[in-house]
Amino acid sequence: METGHTESEIKETVERQREWFRKGETLPVKWRIEQLRKLKACVKAHEEEIISALRSDLGRSAFEAFLCDIGPFIVETDETIAGLRRWARPERHFSGLMCFPSTLTKVFKMPYGTVLIISPFNFPILLTLGVLVAAISGGNTAVIKASSKSPECTAILKKIIEETFPPEYVTLIDGGHDVADMCLAQRFDKIFYTGSPKVGRHVMAEAAKNLTPVALELGGETGNWCVVRADADIRDTARKIAFFKLCNAGQICIEINQIAVAEEIAGEFLEALKAEFIRQTGEDATKSEDYPKLITEAAYRKCSDMADAYRDRIVYGGFGDSQTRRYSPTIIYPVDRDEDIVRQELFCPLLPIVPFKDSEIDSLMNMIAEREHPLAMYIFTNDRKWAEKTMSSQQFGGGCINEVCIHLMVKGVPFGGTGHSGMGAYHGVWGFREFTHPQTVLYGRTKFNLSLRERPYSGKEGMKKLTFLKKFM
């Protein structure tokens, strides 16, 4: 794969897109819908190649490739095609008596212009093309910087983009961090980055040089919590958590980072969780063809080294195969809420278990609230009233009650973080809004204009105007 980009080449690409955008080609909604249909058709035509690329880069099975990347992209595209005409329609507002004789004001949903999309390795198809769908729906041109850690997926993405769009409309650039910095050095009209908080800070700093608005989708600095209370359905909870932790070998921004389990049920829960891991992958997950691998050797070593640091508390798993880069789902128990392993995003199949007294649930939730806002939160309990109160008072990107991860699949709702887990939101109409600027235009009239707003403001005439104004404010 060619990665020898120069800054001058990237600058030229951006300038060509700016020039083409100014021609107004992207403005008609009908044209945008045509582009979305073309993109969807190309993805479906290359479905087998996508599955093969995901298998090569991440060890995904065909089922998981469709479940987590291809299928959600198709759903997202269909939702956007179905709703775009309605979303893009200008809003009409009554101008108000203070603006008389004007009676009409419109809010146009205008594209930002030329946008930069920096996508990650963990869901390289969905988190590249899903964002592109939002950018296209808003009427923008796009430069995509795809991940160098998933080279086969980047190659098929490049093929899809080049077959579907001219480079002055959409261009995909491959390469490492140096290429990403070359992209960030250009003046874009909007930047959308998915990745770590550390790199998110760098993206914001570079964007600030041109006052470029950004959307950041980050994993959360202190990880996503799952809270299992004493009244939870233990078997159902264990089944769902095991499924989720196995998915993509834990390399998911909304993945459960650590579980807080009520002491009263901790023993039973641990046994149920072990049993579910075995049921879903067999005695040795590293030998299962359905179990994904860690993205790089460095990621594998980091996971293995951290497991070794907690070797005396591993109650399940704790081994891997460095050749295949598969590391077993690993339960670490007990872990204190203040230990390093629960104060960082793990992005691997390690699963620390933090015991707490169910009677001290308020103290636990206060501790979680005091830390950086996570991208996701999951709670398992039969106390619906407490669950709703908790989920409506904690700050996080999104989450579930008695379920995991599938809030991501609900149509019409936003996905995005807050604070250290990001800013901005997308999916469906929220993606359209993220990539458009609401532009207000008042329609004035040339007849029946009042001199109310014009000077003089003093004397009897001024007092009359002021009295009239106060009646209609």
Side-chain angles (χ1 to χ4, degrees):
M1 184 191 306
E2 179 189 352
T3 57
H5 299 287
T6 65
E7 188 162 349
S8 61
E9 289 172 346
I10 294 172
K11 183 177 181 179
E12 184 181 346
T13 295
V14 176
E15 288 176 349
R16 283 208 321 269
Q17 288 204 2
R18 283 189 179 285
E19 183 179 347
W20 194 73
F21 173 77
R22 286 194 293 270
K23 293 179 180 179
E25 299 284 349
T26 69
L27 294 181
V29 173
K30 181 180 178 182
W31 187 86
R32 300 180 209 177
I33 291 173
E34 289 171 359
Q35 308 317 304
L36 292 171
R37 286 180 173 146
K38 283 166 56 180
L39 178 60
K40 175 186 168 184
C42 194
V43 167
K44 293 181 79 171
H46 291 289
E47 184 174 321
E48 292 304 317
E49 292 171 79
I50 292 171
I51 290 171
S52 177
L54 286 166
R55 182 73 176 179
S56 177
D57 288 335
L58 288 152
R60 298 256 199 91
S61 65
F63 184 89
E64 190 166 325
F66 190 86
L67 177 70
C68 297
D69 269 273
I70 301 169
F73 161 76
I74 292 172
V75 171
E76 181 86 0
T77 308
D78 286 344
E79 180 184 357
T80 302
I81 290 170
L84 186 54
R85 286 187 176 86
R86 184 173 70 257
W87 304 342
R89 191 177 300 133
E91 294 179 14
R92 297 171 65 93
H93 296 263
F94 173 55
S95 300
L97 293 175
M98 289 296 297
C99 299
F100 186 83
S102 168
T103 58
L104 176 63
T105 296
K106 289 186 179 181
V107 179
F108 294 95
K109 287 71 174 286
M110 298 300 295
Y112 277 102
T114 297
V115 305
L116 172 64
I117 299 168
I118 304 178
S119 59
F121 72 83
N122 58 330
F123 292 95
I125 306 302
L126 177 62
L127 298 184
T128 300
L129 299 183
V131 181
L132 179 61
V133 166
I136 289 174
S137 76
N140 303 277
T141 67
V143 173
I144 301 167
K145 165 58 185 72
S147 177
S148 60
K149 292 182 179 179
S150 47
E152 297 302 318
C153 288
T154 294
I156 186 60
L157 281 168
K158 192 167 189 176
K159 183 177 182 179
I160 288 168
I161 295 301
E162 289 177 352
E163 285 184 10
T164 309
F165 307 117
E168 61 270 21
Y169 179 39
V170 182
T171 298
L172 187 141
I173 296 174
D174 46 40
H177 296 303
D178 56 334
V179 176
D181 281 341
M182 291 178 198
C183 291
L184 289 169
Q186 311 308 313
R187 185 175 73 84
F188 283 93
D189 300 302
K190 176 87 174 186
I191 297 173
F192 194 109
Y193 167 75
T194 304
S196 71
K198 179 182 177 182
V199 179
R201 291 187 185 92
H202 176 63
V203 170
M204 281 196 76
E206 293 302 302
K209 294 176 181 178
N210 290 308
L211 295 179
T212 302
V214 298
L216 303 177
E217 296 297 340
L218 313 176
E221 212 137 23
T222 52
N224 305 315
W225 282 86
C226 175
V227 178
V228 181
R229 295 204 63 184
D231 63 352
D233 183 319
I234 294 174
R235 289 186 63 186
D236 180 71
T237 301
R239 179 181 183 177
K240 290 170 178 173
I241 290 174
F243 149 75
F244 192 25
K245 198 64 183 179
L246 291 168
C247 188
N248 211 32
Q251 300 167 109
I252 307 176
C253 57
I254 59 169
E255 181 61 84
I256 294 169
N257 205 69
Q258 56 270 324
I259 307 175
V261 180
E263 289 179 352
E264 295 87 338
I265 61 165
E268 188 180 353
F269 172 77
L270 289 172
E271 291 308 310
L273 187 57
K274 293 176 193 176
E276 278 301 323
F277 279 135
I278 293 170
R279 184 181 72 83
Q280 295 185 37
T281 63
E283 293 287 345
D284 184 351
T286 66
K287 290 182 169 57
S288 171
E289 288 299 306
D290 288 338
Y291 185 52
K293 62 185 178 181
L294 293 169
I295 187 67
T296 61
E297 290 182 11
Y300 180 90
R301 284 196 304 272
K302 181 180 178 182
C303 175
S304 179
D305 290 347
M306 190 173 295
D308 287 343
Y310 288 85
R311 180 63 56 189
D312 60 331
R313 283 180 275 173
I314 291 177
V315 297
Y316 178 82
F319 58 89
D321 183 337
S322 60
Q323 297 302 309
T324 63
R325 298 202 306 272
R326 289 193 178 104
Y327 200 91
S328 63
T330 298
I331 305 172
I332 304 171
Y333 177 84
V335 177
D336 186 80
R337 64 183 66 177
D338 292 320
E339 292 190 54
D340 287 344
I341 197 170
V342 296
R343 298 186 73 97
Q344 60 179 295
E345 185 183 20
L346 299 176
F347 228 63
C348 69
L350 303 186
L351 193 53
I353 309 293
V354 179
F356 71 97
K357 289 184 174 64
D358 198 65
S359 60
E360 298 176 1
I361 184 63
D362 290 342
S363 172
L364 175 74
M365 300 313 298
N366 286 336
M367 178 275 295
I368 294 173
E370 287 170 0
R371 296 186 179 175
E372 301 300 349
H373 303 325
L375 183 58
M377 181 175 288
Y378 308 99
I379 58 176
F380 288 85
T381 178
N382 281 325
D383 188 340
R384 181 68 176 263
K385 185 176 180 181
W386 176 85
E388 289 186 349
K389 179 183 177 183
T390 299
M391 297 300 262
S392 62
S393 58
Q394 291 279 334
Q395 290 177 290
F396 54 93
C400 304
I401 299 170
N402 293 324
E403 194 44 277
V404 292
C405 76
I406 56 174
H407 64 289
L408 190 70
M409 300 181 180
V410 180
K411 288 186 178 181
V413 301
F415 174 78
T418 175
H420 283 237
S421 58
M423 60 183 69
Y426 72 120
H427 289 182
V429 67
W430 299 88
F432 171 80
R433 291 170 183 166
E434 189 64 51
F435 280 96
T436 53
H437 166 67
Q439 188 165 291
T440 300
V441 177
L442 179 143
Y443 289 69
R445 292 185 177 181
T446 58
K447 299 184 184 300
F448 307 111
N449 282 286
L450 300 179
S451 60
L452 180 64
R453 63 189 172 188
E454 298 168 2
R455 290 171 176 79
Y457 296 152
S458 57
K460 288 184 178 180
E461 189 173 349
M463 287 301 296
K464 287 180 181 179
K465 290 179 180 179
L466 182 59
T467 301
F468 187 81
L469 262 179
K470 287 181 176 180
K471 288 182 179 179
F472 292 100
M473 287 293 283

